[in-house]
Amino acid sequence: MIAPGWFREDRLPHIYCTGCGNGTVINCTLGAVEEMGWKRNETIFVSGIGCSSRAPGYILTDSLHTTHGRALAFATGVKMAQPDLNVVVFTGDGDLAAIGGNHFIHACRRNVDMTVICMNNHIYGMTGGQGSPTTPPGAISTTTPYGASEPAFDLAELAVAAGANYVARWTSYHVKELTKAVAAGMQTPGLAFIEVRTQCPTNYGRHNKLRRVSDMIEHLRSHAMLVDKYNRLTAEGKPVPDGTFTVGELVRRNRPAMGVKR
Amino acid sequence: MKLVIDESRCKGCNLCVLVCPYGIFGEGTELNSRGIVSPVLDRPERCTNCRLQALYGRMLCGVCHMICPDQAIAWVEEKPFEPHRVEVEF
Ligand SMILES: Cc1ncc(C[n+]2csc(CCOP(=O)(O)OP(=O)(O)O)c2C)c(N)n1
Ligand code: SF4
Ligand code: SF4
Ligand code: SF4
Ligand SMILES: [Mg+2]
C-alpha cells in the first residue's frame, strides 16, 4: 500500500463499492503528500458529504467531515486561523458544484492556499444515483430516467475562470499523472484545484451500460484528451469526438493568494 | 521482494488485471473465505518491482498498487531470499 504511515489501517477495508475510483484517488493524494514530505501533525483533510467525502476518515491526521457542500467554507476557516497548516479538501461533484457551488467559486476567487481534489463521478453516488451538475447530456440517472437534458458543468474550466492558481484534470486511470498533478498543486501557493474523473460502477455505470469496472475505466481513458492536443485540433478547425474532455494542467499562475504560509 | 494480495482487503475489482503490463494478475475463479473472487498471480517474480526494487532502492512501476482502490497490493521481503530464474518476454 502507498504511504502506509498515513492510512488508518484499522478502518480498512473502506466502505466503497468494488472498483470505486475513490480509493485510487486517496492513494494518489497520499502518494503526493509523501512526495511533499509533509508531517502528519501539520496536515489536515477537510470534506463535505458524499462517498468521496468519506476519504478523510481513512487518513491518520486531524480532519473535518463537515456539512454537505460546506467543505471549502470550513477549510477557508482553518487556513485563515492557522496558515501554517497544509489543508487538503476532498469533495464530490454534487458536494462541490451543486449545493456547494457558491463556496467553490468564491474559494477560487479568494485563491485560498489549499489543495482541492474533486472526485467527479458525474452522479450523487451516496444517495443512490441522482443526476448532478456534471451528469453528461444523455446519461441515465434516477432523476434523469430519459437521459440528462441539461448541459454539464466543466469544473476545471470553472475553477480557471474563477481564479484558482493551479488547475488540472486527470482520471482515476491516470494514476502517475494524477499523483504528479496533486503534488504540483500542493507546491503552488493559492488554491489548487484537481478534478479527477472517477468511476462509480454502482450508481453511474450500472445505468449507463458500463456495469463492469473495466468498461468504466476504458470509457474514461478513451474520452480523455491531452489539453495541448485538444487546443491544436480546435485551432486547426479539426473535429473532436463527442464526449471528449481535456486532461492535463489547465493553468498555473501567480494571482495574489490568501492564507499562504508565513 | 515478493508481490502479495491482501485478501482481507481485496474486493475483486480486477483493476490490477487491467493495468499490469506483464499480465501478472489474472481474473480469479474461486471464492475466498470472504466471498470474494480475488485475482490469481501468474509468475509474479516477473514484476519489475519484485526484481529491481532492492537494487534501485525505490518503487518501480507500481501501477497496480497505485490503482488498487482497496490498498490490497504490497511487496514483502522474502526470507530467506529465494533466487528466481526469470525469463522476461517482450
Ligand atoms: C444539506 C444536505 N442535503 C442533502 C443531503 C443528501 N446528500 C448526501 S450525499 C449527497 C450527494 C453527494 O454527491 P457527491 O458530492 O457527488 O458525492 P459522491 O457520493 O458521488 O462521491 C446528497 C445530496 C445531505 N446530506 N445534506
Ligand atoms: S456508490 Fe459509487 S461513489 Fe459511492 S462507493 Fe459505490 S461506486 Fe463509489
Ligand atoms: S508493479 Fe507493475 S509490473 Fe509489477 S505487478 Fe504491478 S503493474 Fe505489474
Ligand atoms: S485492484 Fe486491488 S482490490 Fe482490485 S482485484 Fe486487484 S488487488 Fe483486488
Ligand atoms: Mg458524485
Side-chain angles (χ1 to χ4, degrees):
Chain A
M1 95 198 282
I2 288 177
W6 288 76
F7 272 99
R8 279 175 74 182
E9 294 203 35
D10 58 319
R11 308 290 296 165
L12 298 177
H14 48 58
I15 54 147
Y16 299 144
C17 310
T18 302
C20 172
N22 293 347
T24 307
V25 181
I26 301 178
N27 289 345
C28 295
T29 305
L30 292 182
V33 165
E34 266 204 335
E35 228 169 84
M36 295 293 292
W38 285 356
K39 295 199 182 71
R40 281 214 305 264
N41 58 1
E42 292 169 358
T43 306
I44 173 162
F45 290 86
V46 185
S47 67
I49 298 292
C51 297
S52 38
S53 295
R54 288 191 67 107
Y58 301 106
I59 300 176
L60 200 57
T61 66
D62 283 342
S63 58
L64 287 169
H65 189 186
T66 73
T67 43
H68 193 30
R70 313 293 172 224
L72 290 173
F74 281 84
T76 303
V78 170
K79 197 61 190 173
M80 296 325 288
Q82 298 270 359
D84 289 338
L85 291 177
N86 305 309
V87 179
V88 181
V89 177
F90 282 117
T91 181
D93 48 314
D95 195 57
L96 184 80
I99 191 168
N102 247 316
H103 296 297
F104 179 36
I105 54 176
H106 292 291
C108 292
R109 173 179 64 85
R110 292 175 175 141
N111 215 2
V112 190
D113 185 30
M114 55 185 164
T115 308
V116 181
I117 297 160
C118 178
M119 303 161 183
N120 179 3
N121 53 12
H122 312 101
I123 205 90
Y124 287 1
M126 177 167 268
T127 44
Q130 295 82 359
S132 86
T134 61
T135 304
I140 311 288
S141 71
T142 56
T143 49
T144 58
Y146 306 110
S149 55
E150 304 165 3
F153 255 149
D154 183 325
L155 300 180
E157 292 292 356
L158 191 58
V160 173
N165 258 359
Y166 180 91
V167 180
R169 171 164 45 216
W170 286 104
T171 76
S172 48
Y173 172 76
H174 299 95
V175 285
K176 297 253 171 180
E177 294 88 341
L178 174 59
T179 308
K180 279 201 195 115
V182 174
M186 288 169 169
Q187 279 157 16
T188 312
L191 194 137
F193 178 69
I194 296 105
E195 176 188 345
V196 196
R197 302 270 172 124
T198 53
Q199 70 276 19
C200 169
T202 305
N203 282 321
Y204 186 84
R206 206 156 45 99
H207 301 299
N208 289 284
K209 300 195 181 116
L210 300 165
R211 186 178 288 266
R212 285 162 42 118
V213 181
S214 53
D215 294 342
M216 285 227 74
I217 284 281
E218 177 53 27
H219 187 263
L220 289 172
R221 194 194 62 75
S222 59
H223 287 77
M225 185 184 279
L226 283 172
V227 61
D228 291 342
K229 183 175 176 191
Y230 181 89
N231 291 342
R232 198 176 64 237
L233 286 180
T234 42
E236 291 169 359
K238 292 204 178 122
V240 176
D242 251 7
T244 300
F245 59 92
T246 54
V247 292
E249 190 175 298
L250 275 76
V251 83
R252 193 198 296 226
R253 60 188 163 194
N254 216 343
R255 283 184 64 246
M258 276 171 68
V260 181
K261 275 192 191 182
R262 286 170 287 215
Chain B
M1 301 292 269
K2 191 168 144 193
L3 176 66
V4 288
I5 295 180
D6 182 345
E7 296 218 359
S8 70
R9 289 197 191 141
C10 172
K11 293 186 189 138
C13 66
N14 289 324
L15 279 174
C16 48
V17 178
L18 195 77
V19 298
C20 176
Y22 290 101
I24 283 169
F25 303 88
E27 289 193 19
T29 46
E30 271 170 51
L31 287 177
N32 66 17
S33 58
R34 288 173 62 231
I36 280 165
V37 184
S38 279
V40 286
L41 300 179
D42 172 22
R43 292 163 292 156
E45 61 276 11
R46 292 178 299 147
C47 159
T48 327
N49 201 45
C50 292
R51 288 184 284 126
L52 300 173
Q53 189 184 56
L55 183 64
Y56 284 72
R58 63 182 171 87
M59 172 75 65
L60 291 138
C61 181
V63 176
C64 56
H65 124 290
M66 291 202 84
I67 206 165
C68 172
D70 284 279
Q71 294 78 37
I73 295 174
W75 284 269
V76 294
E77 296 288 347
E78 287 173 288
K79 276 187 235 160
F81 177 69
E82 303 150 22
H84 299 284
R85 251 192 75 82
V86 179
E87 271 175 40
V88 179
E89 61 268 36
F90 292 98

